[in-house]
Amino acid sequence: MPDWACDLLVVGSGAGGLATAVVAARLGLEVIVVEKDARVGGTSAWSGGWMWIPNNPLARAEGAADDADASRTYLRHELGRAYDEALVEAFLTHGPRMIDFFQRETSVRFINGASIPDFHGNAPGAAPGNRAVGAAPFDGRRLRKDIRILKPPLDLISPFGMGIATGELRHFANFLRKPRSFAYVVRRVVHHRMDQLRYGRGMYLVNGNALVAMLLKSALDLGVKVCTSAAARSLLIDDGAVQGARIGIPGREVEVRAARGVVLATGGFPHDSGRRAGLFPHAPTGKEHWSAAPETNTGDGLRLGESAGGHVGTDVEAAAGWAPVSLVPRRDGRFSHFPHLGLDRAKPGAIMVHSSGQRFCNEADSYHDVTKALFEATPPGERPQAWLVCDHRFVRRWGVGRVRPAPFPLRPWLRNGYLKRGRTIGELAVACAMDPTSLEETVRRFNEHARQGRDPDFRRGETPFNRAYGDPEREPNPCLGPLDAAPFYAVRIVPGSLSTFAGLATDANARVLDRRGRPIPHLYAVGNDMASIAGGNYPSGGFTLGPAMTFGFIAAHHAAGISLDHDTVTT
């Protein structure tokens, strides 16, 4: 007899896994979620919580949804040879229905990303907004005692452990400049501190932390059993069909029988050095890469899928969603990985340069594109690295990387070596082991054009995505301003990632496929365990969580044996 039994076993508790569990439970299945970390949420709990869902119900309600053919046009352009019509059509058709289902049937609530543009605004079919859906803020007290198993926001980007939503950023950027923003920030910090004293953490949840919290509450309300510190060791397979899994829990191993199957949702392989060595050209030993994902994401789902006959698709444009990161020294001698997602790179008064001291990219482009440009600019035999360079006015106004803006001090970061400083550009170049003449000429040329709001070299600030992360008060280009206020500063940038794209090959029902393209009975993969439907391309922010939750929605219906044409649930 098995130790535990259920209809559907979900391995992993990020947005993809929890979405699958919630939908399956709402459709009448008995569901168990196992998470090897002590807390649920995975990378999703650290994310911005945005999902790319064209023609979504929130945009339609505001009369702002775009033509479905426009999003297809954009994806055909962006995905190129990787465009898989069956997968793309499943995503475009059921993504909006997934949003509607969660709003109608669960505790999950969304907000419309009216001002979140696609990454490549000059591409055919691109949209300046209304294709993204984000998590609405959530009161963590609604989870009651179960708040203890929710992963907190990523400390590197959450001051005092306090998540900051996209709509709040303008207040935090202006809190020393505008009385209204100052009052807003003070209220937020005071309330956050009071929550910490009373509950041990903040209770006003935003971004991906709010998304996971709402999914967790919905799962628990529907009777889903959520088990933390529970790692899937192996799959139970009978006559080629997956029947469950062996799960390691503290002190013993249990056998879980799952009548309708197993869903793999463990977050991909960002910390599997062996697979990184085989798929990341810049990391020949697997160690020359610094992911910002949780360290527990070590490729468990991919190995489990392969053990059942599945295979990892490696013919991708990029094996991961690249991101520039800086290495933040920790007290234990190790380093945390700060993801530079655009809040500093796109602002006026900063540039990124290669070790040669020359610019190599449009700094305001997406994190994926900037890191790709770094790879392309790195000479053979050299390790890819860059420097994010700014002046004193910039670092006190915006901060840079882990360094907070005024009134937070700079001295600790100068002392531990994270932040480099020079009284002149040439002195800064020496501190960063760059050629002073080259960096001085780069800054001179950049400043000459930036004063006019132009960037003839990389066209920074010429797309809606660029401008979305600039300074709206800067004229005529919100992304451009000279570096001319001494002293000057720099932070070293190395290649990292937020997610992985190479994953288990699946069909449009999220069923894992064997090498002959046949579905493996009762085995599904969603999120980063599923091969990216973009084929390693990155068309827009939210293109990780959007497909993750959509194919979780699809997988749950398939496991329940319920047609997606008849998914209305009645109590």
Side-chain angles (χ1 to χ4, degrees):
M1 292 290 292
D3 297 280
W4 300 342
C6 62
D7 293 316
L8 192 66
L9 173 64
V10 178
V11 184
S13 66
L18 287 177
T20 311
V22 170
V23 176
R26 193 68 184 92
L27 296 176
L29 299 190
E30 185 177 355
V31 184
I32 295 175
V33 175
V34 293
E35 167 59 57
K36 79 173 185 180
D37 198 353
R39 293 179 176 175
V40 304
T43 310
S44 301
W46 288 354
S47 73
W50 290 99
M51 292 144 279
W52 196 76
I53 306 289
N55 196 32
N56 65 75
L58 283 80
R60 289 201 304 267
E62 296 178 11
D66 61 332
D67 188 323
D69 286 339
S71 54
R72 288 185 182 89
T73 298
Y74 183 62
L75 288 180
R76 286 189 184 277
H77 177 272
E78 293 293 294
L79 275 56
R81 65 181 180 85
Y83 190 95
D84 183 314
E85 187 167 3
L87 290 172
V88 171
E89 285 303 312
F91 170 61
L92 292 179
T93 299
H94 299 302
R97 300 183 69 193
M98 176 271 293
I99 296 296
D100 180 67
F101 183 98
F102 275 100
Q103 294 243 113
R104 186 181 71 235
E105 305 289 348
T106 77
S107 295
V108 180
R109 296 293 178 267
F110 300 108
I111 55 175
N112 184 28
S115 60
I116 307 294
D118 292 337
F119 279 170
H120 306 129
N122 295 325
N130 289 301
R131 285 178 176 168
V133 173
F138 180 74
D139 184 352
R141 292 173 296 184
R142 293 177 61 191
L143 278 170
R144 301 180 183 273
K145 61 181 178 59
D146 294 303
I147 189 73
R148 71 186 189 281
I149 64 169
L150 174 68
K151 185 187 291 290
L154 180 61
D155 56 356
L156 287 175
I157 59 176
S158 306
F160 317 116
M162 178 177 63
I164 300 174
T166 302
E168 299 177 298
L169 289 172
R170 69 185 188 280
H171 287 302
F172 282 84
N174 291 310
F175 84 106
L176 287 182
R177 302 173 68 245
K178 297 184 177 181
R180 182 182 175 190
S181 292
F182 179 83
Y184 182 91
V185 171
V186 169
R187 284 196 304 271
R188 277 282 275 122
V189 171
V190 169
H191 290 162
H192 177 74
R193 287 299 201 188
M194 291 174 64
D195 281 347
Q196 286 181 315
L197 289 172
R198 185 172 180 181
Y199 303 107
R201 60 160 296 159
M203 288 294 174
Y204 181 75
L205 309 184
V206 297
N207 304 334
N209 216 239
L211 177 63
V212 171
M214 288 186 282
L215 287 168
L216 176 60
K217 175 169 172 49
S218 300
L220 296 172
D221 288 347
L222 289 166
V224 174
K225 182 177 182 179
V226 179
C227 306
T228 57
S229 301
R233 305 293 191 202
S234 61
L235 295 176
L236 302 174
I237 303 173
D238 185 9
D239 195 25
V242 174
Q243 303 292 335
R246 293 183 179 87
I247 308 297
I249 61 175
R252 66 190 181 106
E253 186 173 271
V254 297
E255 183 179 288
V256 183
R257 288 282 172 175
R260 300 296 183 95
V262 174
V263 181
L264 302 175
T266 67
F269 64 96
H271 292 283
D272 180 346
S273 58
R275 206 176 292 270
R276 290 193 320 203
L279 293 174
F280 294 2
H282 64 280
T285 72
K287 298 180 180 179
E288 301 86 353
H289 183 84
W290 294 269
S291 175
E295 294 182 358
T296 49
N297 291 13
T298 54
D300 297 354
L302 274 59
R303 288 190 293 274
L304 291 169
E306 289 171 327
S307 75
H311 69 100
V312 174
T314 59
D315 183 20
V316 291
E317 182 68 23
W322 308 128
V325 305
S326 53
L327 303 181
V328 183
R330 299 188 341 191
R331 292 180 180 178
D332 62 4
R334 302 168 64 200
F335 292 90
S336 296
H337 309 158
F338 184 95
H340 291 255
L341 302 184
L343 297 182
D344 48 12
R345 294 182 288 104
K347 298 294 191 299
I351 58 173
M352 285 183 71
V353 297
H354 191 263
S355 297
S356 64
Q358 299 175 349
R359 290 178 71 209
F360 60 90
C361 68
N362 176 341
E363 296 89 346
D365 275 350
S366 78
Y367 37 87
H368 184 72
D369 290 340
V370 165
T371 312
K372 279 178 57 180
L374 174 59
F375 292 148
E376 293 166 1
T378 302
E382 284 189 20
R383 286 190 176 183
Q385 71 168 15
W387 293 91
L388 181 53
V389 178
C390 62
D391 64 6
H392 187 73
R393 177 174 53 238
F394 180 98
V395 79
R396 301 317 281 155
R397 173 79 170 85
W398 306 107
V400 57
R402 181 60 181 84
V403 180
R404 307 291 186 209
F408 294 95
L410 301 179
R411 188 173 302 277
W413 305 107
L414 294 166
R415 189 166 50 243
N416 69 16
Y418 176 73
L419 185 66
K420 304 294 185 182
R421 180 170 64 184
R423 290 170 295 180
T424 65
I425 291 292
E427 189 176 292
L428 178 66
V430 171
C432 300
M434 286 186 283
D435 176 53
T437 302
S438 177
L439 185 60
E440 287 170 346
E441 173 57 23
T442 295
V443 173
R444 184 203 64 76
R445 175 177 171 79
F446 177 81
N447 285 351
E448 176 185 346
H449 296 293
R451 291 188 179 96
Q452 305 168 35
R454 298 174 52 246
D455 178 16
D457 296 323
F458 295 100
R459 303 178 65 182
R460 179 165 147 190
E462 294 186 16
T463 66
F465 179 80
N466 282 185
R467 294 190 290 273
Y469 291 94
D471 178 2
E473 298 179 3
R474 181 80 186 185
E475 298 282 352
N477 189 323
C479 300
L480 290 176
L483 288 73
D484 55 10
F488 302 93
Y489 302 88
V491 168
R492 187 169 76 101
I493 300 295
V494 293
S497 59
L498 300 179
S499 57
T500 51
F501 290 159
L504 293 163
T506 69
D507 66 7
N509 286 311
R511 295 181 294 180
V512 176
L513 303 176
D514 65 17
R515 290 191 174 276
R516 296 177 63 182
R518 299 172 304 187
I520 298 170
H522 299 169
L523 184 63
Y524 304 86
V526 301
N528 292 333
D529 284 356
M530 173 185 178
S532 166
I533 68 168
N537 298 285
Y538 211 159
S540 186
F543 211 86
T544 298
L545 290 184
M549 291 190 59
T550 299
F551 283 95
F553 173 77
I554 293 170
H557 278 80
H558 189 274
I562 296 177
S563 169
L564 277 161
D565 293 327
H566 304 91
D567 67 344
T568 301
V569 177
T570 58
T571 303

